[in-house]
Amino acid sequence: IYSVFGVAWFSDPTRLLPAVRSRLTPGRVFAFSHRPPVEGCYGCQASYIPRGADEDPLVVKRWDYTPQTWVEKLRAAGFSEVSAQVIAAPEGTRRVGTLLVNGRA
């Protein structure tokens, strides 16, 4: 199972990780990526997405953790061979890298 800037970022990991683990057969991998957390802003964070001029912004929750915390969360959910790393942004104008996390069932 692979999630690119998706379900693993926008779902409560205490519910998501056990559910994913229960669906994977032994040896299969769950991998996900999203932006690294802003230092000091860990756990459930709120994002506000602008909508129309007459509408309030849409509130979207996301879960941000350090790579080590993601490793601990996956292990606690029953994954093995877990790794998490921040891949630096490519040369150019981008300044934010990508967090890549994976674990084996």
Side-chain angles (χ1 to χ4, degrees), residues 4-104:
V4 180
F5 288 69
V7 69
W9 203 13
F10 297 108
S11 299
D12 181 348
T14 61
R15 297 181 66 195
L16 175 69
L17 297 177
V20 170
R21 176 59 188 89
S22 73
R23 300 297 294 175
L24 287 174
T25 57
R28 300 299 184 187
V29 173
F30 176 44
F32 62 89
S33 62
H34 57 71
R35 285 182 175 231
V38 173
E39 188 173 336
C41 297
Y42 306 121
C44 185
Q45 305 293 314
S47 295
Y48 298 91
I49 301 171
R51 298 195 298 182
D54 295 334
E55 296 179 289
D56 289 333
L58 178 65
V59 178
V60 177
K61 292 180 181 179
R62 69 180 194 282
W63 279 260
D64 288 313
Y65 296 104
T66 64
Q68 183 58 39
T69 299
W70 276 118
V71 166
E72 293 165 5
K73 289 187 173 300
L74 266 73
R75 286 183 179 151
F79 289 89
S80 63
E81 299 179 38
V82 178
S83 69
Q85 64 179 325
V86 174
I87 301 168
E91 290 186 30
T93 58
R94 289 190 57 200
R95 291 182 253 171
V96 177
T98 300
L99 174 69
L100 178 62
V101 181
N102 66 71
R104 188 172 301 279

